[in-house]
Amino acid sequence: MKKVTINSVASHAGVSKKTVSRVLNNEPNVSAATREKVLAVFKELDYTPNPIARGLAQNRSFIIGCLYDNPSKSYITRVQTGALEACKENNYNLLIHPCEFRGEALINNIEQLLQTSRLDGIVLTPPFGDFAKLVSFLKSKKIPYARVASALLQDDSISVRSNDEQGAFEITEHLINLGHKSIAFIKGHPDHSATQQRFKGYRRSLASHGIEFDERLVEEGNFSYHSGVDSARSILDLSPRPTAVFASNDYMAAAVLKLATQRQLKVPDDISIAGFDNAPIARHIWPGLTTIAQPVEEMTKQAVTQLISHIAQPQEQPYQVTLESRLITRESTSAIK
Amino acid sequence: MKKVTINSVASHAGVSKKTVSRVLNNEPNVSAATREKVLAVFKELDYTPNPIARGLAQNRSFIIGCLYDNPSKSYITRVQTGALEACKENNYNLLIHPCEFRGEALINNIEQLLQTSRLDGIVLTPPFGDFAKLVSFLKSKKIPYARVASALLQDDSISVRSNDEQGAFEITEHLINLGHKSIAFIKGHPDHSATQQRFKGYRRSLASHGIEFDERLVEEGNFSYHSGVDSARSILDLSPRPTAVFASNDYMAAAVLKLATQRQLKVPDDISIAGFDNAPIARHIWPGLTTIAQPVEEMTKQAVTQLISHIAQPQEQPYQVTLESRLITRESTSAIK
DNA sequence: TGACATTATGACACCGGTGTCAGGAATTTA
DNA sequence: TAAATTCCTGACACCGGTGTCATAATGTCA
């Protein structure tokens, strides 16, 4: 079976390569008759253009790169799902690039990636979207990029985020409305902007109820399960023990739950636990975790869709959107006795 | 800043394009002096060859596709990790392609994928490696492929698997040695070959201890957490209740644990629970799950490494390897009272 | 109906590499 | 030292598309 190229189509249809190319790209200045003839040959020969040849001619790869370095694997999975949907709709492909966030090597690493892969654009997933050096590097190289779940910036970029501050506020409200006054908090990774946002929401809720903020109730985590275990240990050792714990993500919340259960504490009777993200684990454990559901897939999908349309036709104005998150109550939180 | 191409290198070094190309590809018949001169210019101009141009000339894309459709997200993450390592070492990129396993559309879907992406090869992750139609389709299209964690076949392909039968045997032995005689079993997805293997190992262990196989203790799951909940319900309703449950993966085991805990059963005192895979959840819950650790990353890495070397230079003999798995005991299993 | 604007089409170079082949330089052999 | 062999090197076509520009065909208007 011979390969079907633009040349075979052209000779088959009795027109030039260029005309075939025009039909392929929906360019104007092709007569209706010619267009139909060519389209018929497409079908007859079952022709699909070679994306590599097209890429060479246009200096494009039709590939989007997805950068990540996240302790939460499920978060990555969700990001990928959203990105893939957007790629699929636009005939793009997704290249995944896990990459150490820390260290000086990052910029070199990315430079290397760009040189070897000729990516058309990059999606920056947390925490990369907040890494100023990287963003300005991409800007200087004129590589289109989109930031997912990062802080808002006054720039010309594509940014899709959710309102973490508000989510944290709402879940803290939920706990306070259940009668809790002593609510421990586990922070996320300091380099993630979500960490500050969630902490702010927690404090705003406390303040709005006149509950004094107590620094001893705050632990430094980094979004990993392991860090949750360490934080949980400190919190459960406090005396008096707080009646509730709000962890900045579900993995850390799950760690608190595990440790509490290990120590014979009943959740939520002895202590309420809340998380953030609505990761799968939140409903896979008992009791299920009260948490904030974030539209991670949708955020990423929108970001990538915008990125691709920006690549095709650079936009003047920035695309900056904030999506809503919502409270999901499960069994891990209850009214104080 | 002008783009650095093979032409600029050539004129800079005072040699022809072709000679530069020879140096690039480590071809013979280049004098040491010329080679050094060209290499120096590479450094001086910071040259990296354009993979798209190279791909066009050689009809290669330097991209491997990873096919998956798996209820266990963590499994996918691990597969990706292994595949990425292999790609990185060989300057390949990984394209991920989630794809419904069921349905007639599969072959069309893959055909579409191949036409639009010009993949150099495909990794088939469970259950795709066991789907005969797909395998023979790829063979007929002469697309190199590698099968991960699939049943052994008498063919010329690349296949890396682990010994699931032996793993299931060992974990069942573990339970029997703890004194359990009534051990329920939750099967995996019927289309995964691992499902049969694990079931076989379970039965072999029973048989080797003269424990009669009891069909009422076997439930049909499909590897998803949800299916585990359904199976757990049936098992916990049995009377007399089995003293142990061996679920074919950790998600289903976690579901059993959740339901048991919900019903006020103490694990492992009232009932022991064992899983399979050593997924993250196995250590994120309390009690931690006794399970079988599989080298998923390593399997995939080996498969992709072989695949890439096969693409570069088609091998005569098949590469068929079986890696060892190992028992990990945690708190969810204990001696019968 | 002739002058001019517009539309349709193809020839050809180009994107940045690799494959083929011919011919000159260097080395070995007689 | 001449002939034969091997080693280097470059010219050129090619991979399968797209961009530029000239020209042919058609349409519009006076």
Side-chain angles (χ1 to χ4, degrees):
Chain A
M1 192 190 78
K2 193 132 179 8
K3 254 182 299 181
V4 180
T5 74
I6 200 172
N7 289 301
S8 27
V9 174
S11 65
H12 224 83
V15 299
S16 72
K17 281 169 76 169
K18 183 61 210 184
T19 300
V20 177
S21 170
R22 287 195 181 93
V23 174
L24 261 182
N25 296 285
N26 274 314
E27 284 175 32
N29 300 340
V30 179
S31 73
T34 309
R35 190 178 297 273
E36 296 224 346
K37 190 169 54 182
V38 173
L39 287 172
V41 176
F42 282 176
K43 274 218 180 107
E44 188 190 337
L45 301 185
D46 194 20
Y47 170 70
T48 19
N50 181 331
I52 298 185
R54 185 184 281 200
L56 178 60
Q58 300 188 142
N59 196 24
R60 298 172 61 181
S61 62
F62 298 91
I63 295 178
I64 297 292
C66 179
L67 226 62
Y68 60 84
D69 174 13
N70 205 299
S72 165
K73 306 292 182 196
S74 66
Y75 193 90
I76 295 171
T77 307
R78 298 179 67 190
V79 160
Q80 288 180 358
T81 304
L84 280 165
E85 282 177 28
C87 284
K88 196 172 182 182
E89 287 176 8
N90 293 279
N91 287 314
Y92 262 71
N93 285 310
L94 186 70
L95 192 146
I96 56 181
H97 190 80
C99 170
E100 288 240 342
F101 166 60
R102 308 209 141 274
E104 272 312 303
L106 174 65
I107 299 288
N108 288 336
N109 185 325
I110 303 302
E111 195 157 15
Q112 174 79 8
L113 171 70
L114 292 172
Q115 282 179 337
T116 60
S117 315
R118 310 281 154 154
L119 301 176
D120 287 353
I122 293 198
V123 205
L124 303 176
T125 71
F128 290 108
D130 288 311
F131 190 34
K133 265 191 196 168
L134 176 60
V135 171
S136 60
F137 169 75
L138 293 176
K139 216 181 251 176
S140 74
K141 287 273 182 181
K142 301 206 192 309
I143 308 289
Y145 61 92
R147 296 157 61 240
V148 175
S150 304
L152 274 177
L153 286 182
Q154 297 303 328
D155 71 352
D156 58 347
S157 71
I158 298 166
S159 167
V160 183
R161 56 191 290 276
S162 64
N163 197 335
D164 286 37
E165 199 272 348
Q166 177 66 18
F169 175 80
E170 281 172 19
I171 205 164
T172 312
E173 289 283 291
H174 164 75
L175 289 170
I176 293 176
N177 291 338
L178 288 171
H180 295 279
K181 289 188 168 54
S182 173
I183 305 172
F185 184 82
I186 305 179
K187 285 182 157 184
H189 193 291
D191 291 328
H192 287 233
S193 65
T195 294
Q196 306 313 319
Q197 295 299 311
R198 294 176 191 178
F199 187 47
K200 260 175 77 178
Y202 162 74
R203 293 198 61 168
R204 177 158 68 91
S205 173
L206 291 185
S208 78
H209 288 271
I211 298 176
E212 202 175 341
F213 169 69
D214 183 350
E215 202 160 314
R216 289 166 305 176
L217 295 179
V218 176
E219 282 293 322
E220 309 274 339
N222 67 9
F223 286 137
S224 74
Y225 182 86
H226 188 82
S227 76
V229 173
D230 292 341
S231 302
R233 198 166 289 131
S234 310
I235 290 171
L236 296 181
D237 281 345
L238 285 174
S239 160
R241 197 176 56 224
T243 64
V245 182
F246 169 22
S248 289
N249 78 352
D250 289 333
Y251 281 92
M252 298 192 297
V256 178
L257 174 60
K258 173 165 177 173
L259 206 72
T261 311
Q262 250 177 308
R263 294 192 177 188
Q264 320 287 342
L265 293 175
K266 287 234 185 282
V267 178
D269 294 346
D270 296 330
I271 189 166
S272 283
I273 299 175
F276 207 107
D277 279 351
N278 197 27
I281 197 171
R283 55 181 178 285
H284 287 353
I285 56 184
W286 178 260
L289 292 174
T290 291
T291 189
I292 294 288
Q294 287 208 86
V296 177
E297 292 89 345
E298 180 60 24
M299 283 194 286
T300 317
K301 183 176 177 182
Q302 284 197 22
V304 174
T305 302
Q306 278 302 313
L307 179 59
I308 291 175
S309 85
H310 174 87
I311 291 164
Q313 190 162 28
Q315 310 289 309
E316 286 303 313
Q317 67 273 58
Y319 181 86
Q320 308 203 134
V321 172
T322 301
L323 301 180
E324 292 305 316
S325 45
R326 73 176 203 286
L327 177 68
I328 295 189
T329 54
R330 294 203 179 89
E331 304 85 15
S332 69
T333 53
S334 70
I336 201 165
K337 279 170 302 195
Chain B
M1 192 190 77
K2 192 126 178 8
K3 255 181 302 181
V4 179
T5 74
I6 199 171
N7 288 300
S8 26
V9 173
S11 64
H12 224 83
V15 299
S16 72
K17 281 168 76 168
K18 182 60 209 185
T19 298
V20 178
S21 169
R22 287 195 182 93
V23 174
L24 261 182
N25 296 285
N26 273 312
E27 284 175 33
N29 298 340
V30 179
S31 72
T34 311
R35 192 179 295 272
E36 295 224 348
K37 189 168 54 180
V38 173
L39 287 172
V41 177
F42 282 176
K43 273 217 181 107
E44 186 190 341
L45 302 184
D46 194 19
Y47 169 71
T48 19
N50 181 332
I52 298 185
R54 185 183 280 198
L56 178 60
Q58 301 188 140
N59 197 25
R60 299 172 60 179
S61 62
F62 298 91
I63 296 178
I64 299 290
C66 178
L67 226 61
Y68 60 84
D69 174 13
N70 205 300
S72 165
K73 306 292 182 196
S74 66
Y75 193 90
I76 295 171
T77 307
R78 297 179 67 190
V79 160
Q80 288 181 357
T81 303
L84 280 165
E85 281 176 29
C87 284
K88 196 173 181 183
E89 287 176 7
N90 293 281
N91 287 314
Y92 262 70
N93 285 309
L94 186 71
L95 192 146
I96 55 180
H97 191 79
C99 169
E100 287 239 342
F101 167 60
R102 308 209 140 275
E104 271 312 302
L106 175 65
I107 299 289
N108 288 335
N109 184 325
I110 303 302
E111 196 158 15
Q112 174 79 9
L113 171 69
L114 292 171
Q115 282 179 337
T116 61
S117 315
R118 310 278 155 155
L119 301 176
D120 287 353
I122 294 197
V123 204
L124 303 177
T125 70
F128 289 107
D130 288 312
F131 190 33
K133 266 191 194 167
L134 176 60
V135 171
S136 60
F137 169 76
L138 293 175
K139 215 180 253 177
S140 74
K141 288 272 181 183
K142 301 205 192 309
I143 307 290
Y145 60 92
R147 297 156 63 239
V148 175
S150 305
L152 274 177
L153 286 182
Q154 297 303 328
D155 71 352
D156 58 347
S157 70
I158 298 165
S159 166
V160 184
R161 55 190 292 276
S162 64
N163 197 336
D164 287 38
E165 199 270 348
Q166 178 65 17
F169 175 81
E170 282 173 19
I171 205 164
T172 312
E173 289 283 291
H174 164 75
L175 290 169
I176 294 176
N177 290 337
L178 289 170
H180 296 278
K181 290 190 167 55
S182 173
I183 304 172
F185 184 83
I186 305 179
K187 283 182 159 183
H189 193 292
D191 291 328
H192 287 233
S193 64
T195 294
Q196 306 313 319
Q197 295 300 311
R198 294 175 191 180
F199 186 48
K200 259 175 75 179
Y202 161 74
R203 293 198 60 171
R204 176 159 68 93
S205 172
L206 292 185
S208 79
H209 288 270
I211 299 176
E212 202 175 342
F213 170 69
D214 183 350
E215 203 160 316
R216 291 166 303 177
L217 295 179
V218 176
E219 283 292 321
E220 308 275 337
N222 67 10
F223 285 137
S224 74
Y225 182 87
H226 187 82
S227 76
V229 174
D230 292 342
S231 302
R233 199 166 288 131
S234 310
I235 290 171
L236 297 181
D237 281 344
L238 286 175
S239 163
R241 198 175 55 222
T243 63
V245 182
F246 169 22
S248 289
N249 78 352
D250 289 333
Y251 281 92
M252 298 193 295
V256 178
L257 175 59
K258 173 165 178 171
L259 206 72
T261 311
Q262 253 178 305
R263 294 193 177 187
Q264 321 286 344
L265 292 175
K266 288 235 185 283
V267 177
D269 295 347
D270 297 329
I271 188 165
S272 282
I273 300 176
F276 206 107
D277 279 351
N278 197 26
I281 197 170
R283 56 180 177 284
H284 288 352
I285 57 185
W286 179 258
L289 292 173
T290 290
T291 190
I292 294 288
Q294 287 208 87
V296 178
E297 292 89 346
E298 181 59 22
M299 282 194 286
T300 318
K301 182 175 177 181
Q302 284 197 22
V304 173
T305 302
Q306 277 302 312
L307 179 59
I308 291 175
S309 86
H310 174 86
I311 290 165
Q313 190 160 27
Q315 309 290 313
E316 285 304 312
Q317 67 272 58
Y319 180 87
Q320 306 203 135
V321 171
T322 301
L323 302 180
E324 291 307 315
S325 45
R326 73 176 203 284
L327 176 67
I328 294 189
T329 53
R330 294 204 180 87
E331 304 85 14
S332 68
T333 52
S334 70
I336 201 165
K337 280 173 301 196

